[in-house]
């Protein structure tokens, strides 16, 4: 009985909801800095935001080791991910294809960066933050952005800009980030240049 | 031609297949590849291409990309060499009308997804649209270096001298760069990319395009992408700048002088005519002219 009460439900319609969620994240990655809202209703485990859970259900499976921020770990989360996604847990950051993190990440270089020949083998980080808003102090430029976009991220540690510069210096290697706050997501692929 | 009325009879869909034909695990694999493709514009992401119910060369790559992105609210247009009414275009439209229950259209403006073989529509694309290309050979360096392990390294090191040499050899032999289709482009000053065999006439449309462009090569198992507003430059030399084809003729049907023209042989006595390759553009112009005449 206890195991079933731990298990939160996944998508009500796995095929259609995965498609909807994918289009949202495809749009977010193609237009960095723009806000996209998940329309799928989910009751995720407590430490996961609804959009994080939707992204996991859409993108993760047995081929994608996941690194979960220790602060987000709980039996409930692992039960949810194991049952619905069937993804292996990564013991090391560098072994993960995806990571779900609490707040702006530090130590980007500790995640898989891909190789110069296969830069697509790098990790995608799903980072949960408190607030995301269009028109903030961060200026974004790069592919997918007409001229420039601006973004507000909170909390936003100043050290992240330096981390991101390091990530850019490794191009074409480097990680890609999906910011999540509640049901809202923002894409930050490795090609986007950031300044304050 | 109205695709909705022609193809609506086949609904409601084949049973026994998953939505949009592909199984969910395949879609997830493809979706992950597409996200990386968008994150690294112009870079070819390997993916586990599946066998599709059509032969290689008929757009298995494009069909798999479309199948992994399409949803019931999408409106799909498919063109083959610019035409909405050729076998390839009609069968792919039917395939998705059947398996994904989407509305199909011939209008570039109404479509949310346009799958294309070898043309970019003449009608300018807009924000929110997705253009899916069917790609036969994704590797721009393939005819210059046969080994994949080497071309991978060349891309990694931006070792593109050989491509410029090949373009220079064209100038030495022909006095100009003789490549008229599949003309190589440089994406965001990083990767050299093959735009699929579109005529070089269409190359300028790739640059700074508001629509998302996805490329799928089924046999070669690669996807790549151009996010909207990406800088795409056709390779050239200062003294031999890139230019597009021009025609002395205009379209024999609609009179267009600004569209890509196909030369059609009409008899065995040397008779020929030039017509728009983009049938929708041609029809639209013709309809507008009809309206003008009616009001005049």
């Amino acid at each position: 009985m206890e195991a079933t009460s731990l298990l939160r439900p996944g998508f009500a319609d796995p095929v259609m909801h995965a498609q909807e969620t994918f289009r949202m994240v495809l749009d977010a990655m193609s237009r960095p800095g723009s806000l996209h809202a998940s329309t799928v209703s989910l009751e995720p485990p407590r430490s996961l935001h609804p959009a994080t859970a939707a992204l996991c259900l859409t993108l993760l499976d047995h081929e994608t080791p996941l690194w979960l921020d220790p602060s987000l770990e709980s039996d409930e989360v692992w039960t949810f991910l194991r049952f619905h996604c069937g993804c292996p847990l990564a013991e090391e950051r560098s072994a993960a294809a995806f990571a779900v993190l609490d707040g702006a990440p530090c130590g980007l270089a500790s995640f898989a960066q891909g190789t110069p020949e296969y830069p697509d083998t790098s990790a995608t980080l799903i980072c949960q933050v408190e607030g995301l808003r269009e028109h903030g102090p961060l200026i974004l430029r790069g592919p997918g952005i007409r001229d420039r976009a601006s973004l507000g991220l909170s909390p936003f540690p100043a050290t992240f800009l330096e981390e991101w510069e390091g990530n850019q210096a490794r191009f074409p290697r480097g990680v890609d980030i999906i910011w999540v706050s509640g049901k809202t997501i923002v894409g930050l692929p490795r090609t986007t240049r950031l300044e304050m | 031609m109205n695709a909705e009325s022609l193809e609506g009879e086949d609904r409601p869909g084949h049973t026994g297949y998953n939505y949009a034909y592909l199984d969910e695990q395949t879609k997830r694999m493809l979706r992950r590849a597409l996200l990386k493709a968008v994150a690294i514009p112009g870079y070819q992401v390997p993916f586990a291409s599946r066998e599709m119910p059509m032969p290689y060369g008929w757009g298995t790559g494009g069909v798999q990309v479309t199948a992994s992105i399409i949803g019931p609210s999408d409106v799909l247009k498919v063109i083959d060499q610019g035409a909405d009414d050729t076998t390839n275009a009609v069968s792919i439209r039917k395939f998705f009308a059947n398996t994904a229950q989407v509305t199909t259209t011939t209008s570039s403006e109404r479509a949310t997804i346009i799958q294309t073989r070898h043309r970019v529509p003449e009608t300018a694309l807009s924000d929110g649209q997705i253009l899916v290309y069917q790609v036969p050979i994704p590797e721009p360096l393939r005819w210059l270096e046969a080994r994949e392990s080497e071309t991978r390294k060349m891309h990694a090191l931006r070792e593109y001298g050989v491509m410029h040499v090949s373009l220079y050899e064209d100038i030495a032999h022909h006095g100009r760069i003789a490549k008229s289709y599949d003309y190589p482009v440089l994406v965001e000053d990083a990767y050299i990319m093959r735009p699929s065999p579109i005529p070089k006439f269409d190359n300028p449309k790739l640059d700074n395009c508001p629509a998302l462009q996805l490329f799928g090569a089924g046999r070669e198992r690669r996807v790549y992408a151009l996010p909207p507003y990406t800088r795409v430059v056709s390779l050239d030399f200062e003294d031999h700048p890139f230019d597009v084809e021009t025609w002395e003729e205009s379209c024999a049907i609609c009179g267009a002088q600004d569209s890509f023209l196909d030369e059609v042989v009409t008899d065995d006595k040397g008779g020929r005519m030039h017509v728009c390759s983009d049938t929708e553009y041609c029809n639209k112009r013709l309809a507008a002219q009809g309206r003008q005449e009616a009001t005049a």
Side-chain angles (χ1 to χ4, degrees), chain B residues 11-50:
Chain B
R11 291 186 207 169
H14 286 315
T15 50
Y17 291 112
N18 187 27
Y19 180 78
Y21 187 77
L22 294 176
D23 61 277
E24 289 303 297
Q25 206 277 322
T26 298
K27 285 187 200 168
R28 271 194 301 274
M29 170 273 298
L30 250 161
R31 286 167 178 170
R32 290 193 294 257
L34 286 172
L35 288 182
K36 287 299 179 192
V38 167
I40 321 167
Y43 164 76
Q44 303 161 51
V45 184
F47 79 105
S49 180
R50 300 295 194 245

Side-chain angles (χ1 to χ4, degrees), chain B residues 3-273:
Chain B
E4 278 97 318
S5 62
L6 277 179
E7 291 161 20
E9 305 161 358
D10 295 83
R11 291 186 207 169
H14 286 315
T15 50
Y17 291 112
N18 187 27
Y19 180 78
Y21 187 77
L22 294 176
D23 61 277
E24 289 303 297
Q25 206 277 322
T26 298
K27 285 187 200 168
R28 271 194 301 274
M29 170 273 298
L30 250 161
R31 286 167 178 170
R32 290 193 294 257
L34 286 172
L35 288 182
K36 287 299 179 192
V38 167
I40 321 167
Y43 164 76
Q44 303 161 51
V45 184
F47 79 105
S49 180
R50 300 295 194 245
E51 194 161 343
M52 297 302 283
M54 61 184 71
Y56 288 135
W58 285 66
T60 53
V63 165
Q64 288 180 81
V65 169
T66 302
S68 65
I69 62 174
I70 204 163
S73 58
D74 279 310
V75 179
L76 177 72
K77 171 183 164 86
V78 185
I79 51 172
D80 171 8
Q81 302 274 11
D84 292 286
D85 52 3
T86 53
T87 312
N88 197 203
V90 173
S91 9
I92 293 173
R93 254 198 330 261
K94 272 193 169 170
F95 178 76
F96 283 112
N98 274 334
T99 59
Q101 290 90 50
V102 288
T103 312
T104 58
T105 184
T106 56
S107 156
S108 300
E109 278 152 11
R110 274 196 60 210
T112 55
I113 299 175
I114 303 175
Q115 183 173 326
T116 174
R117 175 174 176 271
H118 306 185
R119 272 314 304 279
V120 179
E122 305 288 359
T123 311
L125 300 174
S126 58
D127 258 319
Q129 287 185 309
I130 301 178
L131 187 59
V132 178
Y133 294 79
Q134 303 171 197
V135 180
I137 310 280
E139 178 51 71
L141 305 167
R142 182 57 70 234
W143 306 137
L144 307 170
E145 169 55 62
R147 289 166 297 176
E148 174 73 6
S149 54
E150 283 303 307
T151 54
R152 283 271 149 190
K153 263 190 212 124
M154 291 158 82
H155 283 295
L157 302 171
R158 311 278 179 276
E159 179 61 68
Y160 290 140
V162 63
M163 179 58 93
H164 287 98
V165 169
S166 114
L167 296 179
Y168 170 74
E169 280 177 346
D170 257 19
I171 294 173
H173 287 151
H174 310 291
R176 63 192 173 87
I177 298 173
K179 240 177 157 10
S180 58
Y181 66 94
D182 225 340
Y183 192 104
V185 294
L186 183 64
V187 180
E188 287 283 333
D189 293 322
Y191 284 96
I192 283 191
M193 187 192 95
R194 207 166 171 144
S196 89
I198 56 171
K200 68 175 180 176
F201 181 87
D202 286 339
N203 272 25
K205 298 178 192 166
L206 268 60
D207 180 37
N208 214 25
C209 174
L212 169 63
Q213 302 174 76
L214 302 174
F215 298 77
R219 179 178 38 211
E220 302 290 324
R221 296 165 189 200
R222 299 288 183 272
V223 289
Y224 49 107
L226 296 172
Y229 307 111
T230 296
R231 205 163 63 249
V232 181
V233 180
S234 302
L235 298 181
D236 61 359
F237 298 99
E238 277 171 23
D239 53 345
H240 285 272
F242 174 79
D243 62 349
V244 299
E245 304 90 326
T246 52
W247 291 264
E248 284 168 15
E249 298 81 359
S250 49
C251 172
I253 299 172
C254 74
Q257 288 171 322
D258 56 352
S259 83
F260 187 83
L261 299 180
D262 284 338
E263 188 174 353
V264 183
V265 175
T266 50
D267 54 34
D268 58 359
K269 300 179 184 68
R272 53 197 59 215
M273 63 196 262

Side-chain angles (χ1 to χ4, degrees), chain A residues 163-179:
Chain A
E163 287 268 356
W164 193 248
E165 260 173 46
N167 195 54
Q168 296 232 286
R170 289 187 284 272
F171 186 86
R173 300 165 71 230
V175 299
D176 307 300
I177 295 181
I178 305 167
W179 300 101

Side-chain angles (χ1 to χ4, degrees), chain A residues 108-109 111-116 118-125 163-164 166-177 188-191, chain B residues 36 39-40:
Chain A
L108 290 181
F111 290 99
Q113 303 291 309
T115 63
Y118 292 93
D120 58 298
T121 51
S122 67
T124 304
L125 315 182
E163 287 268 356
W164 193 248
N167 195 54
Q168 296 232 286
R170 289 187 284 272
F171 186 86
R173 300 165 71 230
V175 299
D176 307 300
I177 295 181
L188 186 67
R190 67 193 79 176
T191 47
Chain B
K36 287 299 179 192
I40 321 167

